Amino acid sequence: MDGAPHVPHTVGDVMSQTVVSIGRDAPFKQIVVTMEQWKVSALPVLEGEGRVVGVVSEADLLPKEEFRDGGPSRVEQFRRPEELARVGAVTAGELMTSPAVCVHARATLAEAARIMARRRVKRLPVTDADGLLVGVVSRGDLLKVFLRPDEDIARQVRQEVVELLFPGGGRGAGVRVADGVVTFTGEIRDTTLVPVAARMARSVEGVVDVGFDLERPE
């Protein structure tokens, strides 16, 4: 075996611990100023010792500007009641989306990515076991795994895929990695294991794609 097994990253490993937040009573203008100052598109809303009760995003603020020149149509009133309710909002508590969409610090990066995709958000507040804010994770943070060196990826694929599915040596399966793309090489006698190897390799952090450059068994 080439070194210790790779331990998958968690959200807590890649999140930013520098978090800008606001309270329920933060006024509209302060929210806009804070977003501009810190170059963020959303702010967690906290109460008590740091419990996340909601999130205010740019989308929550826009209705006030959207309907500055005139009120919503009847169709818009029917289709967008929650958004239109924010037109008259002046504090974070009135503007925020609640309950907040958060992720636990011990969650995997894949779990965080799925939450972002389903809820169509760019950033997630990160909470600890007590529900208190400990950081924030962005789409860019989740992509950090693709900075992993090819050598590390190849080592893990050999340990966790090749040595398990294709033990032995000689003319057996090998691995090369270039720019995150894993290519299985050599000879694989049991071709039914090819899709299994591909699936296992894709689960390795930092893998961009998987291919095969195999020899025919003699």
Side-chain angles (χ1 to χ4, degrees):
M1 304 287 281
D2 300 305
H6 175 73
V7 179
H9 286 86
T10 65
V11 168
D13 295 326
V14 302
M15 70 181 186
S16 171
Q17 296 182 9
T18 302
V19 187
V20 186
S21 61
I22 52 176
R24 282 181 179 270
D25 296 329
F28 188 101
K29 189 168 184 176
Q30 179 188 331
I31 297 170
V32 177
V33 169
T34 303
M35 286 184 175
E36 173 62 23
Q37 179 181 357
W38 291 91
K39 307 301 180 186
V40 295
S41 59
L43 294 167
V45 182
L46 309 184
E47 69 177 9
E49 298 179 351
R51 189 172 303 279
V52 183
V53 294
V55 173
V56 175
S57 69
E58 292 172 337
D60 297 324
L61 305 178
L62 280 177
K64 189 175 291 294
E65 182 64 23
E66 180 181 355
F67 297 104
R68 179 181 300 280
D69 297 333
S73 66
R74 290 185 179 181
V75 173
E76 288 172 322
Q77 291 176 21
F78 177 75
R79 292 181 176 177
R80 303 168 58 190
E82 292 183 5
E83 295 176 53
L84 296 176
R86 296 186 173 97
V87 173
V90 295
T91 67
E94 298 168 337
L95 288 158
M96 69 183 185
T97 299
S98 182
V101 181
C102 300
V103 66
H104 197 280
R106 292 199 299 270
T108 66
L109 303 192
E111 289 170 337
R114 285 193 290 270
I115 294 173
M116 286 185 182
R118 286 199 303 266
R119 303 304 292 266
R120 298 181 180 179
V121 295
K122 299 177 182 179
R123 297 159 60 88
L124 290 171
V126 183
T127 57
D128 62 13
D130 297 319
L132 303 182
L133 184 68
V134 293
V136 64
V137 66
S138 67
R139 292 174 177 175
D141 294 327
L142 300 184
L143 294 176
K144 289 177 182 177
V145 293
F146 293 105
L147 299 176
R148 190 179 180 196
D150 289 339
E151 296 79 7
D152 290 352
I153 297 173
R155 184 182 304 112
Q156 185 179 352
V157 173
R158 291 189 191 99
Q159 291 176 352
E160 300 182 3
V161 183
V162 175
E163 293 183 12
L164 179 64
L165 296 181
F166 315 112
R171 294 172 58 82
V175 172
R176 66 171 182 264
V177 181
D179 295 327
V181 177
V182 173
T183 303
F184 288 92
T185 62
E187 185 179 294
I188 296 179
R189 293 185 177 277
D190 187 353
T191 55
T192 62
L193 295 176
V194 167
V196 179
R199 184 171 63 251
M200 293 174 66
R202 286 193 176 95
S203 70
V204 172
E205 286 187 345
V207 171
V208 174
D209 198 6
V210 178
F212 294 83
D213 182 11
L214 303 176
E215 300 174 11
R216 291 183 177 275
E218 295 180 359

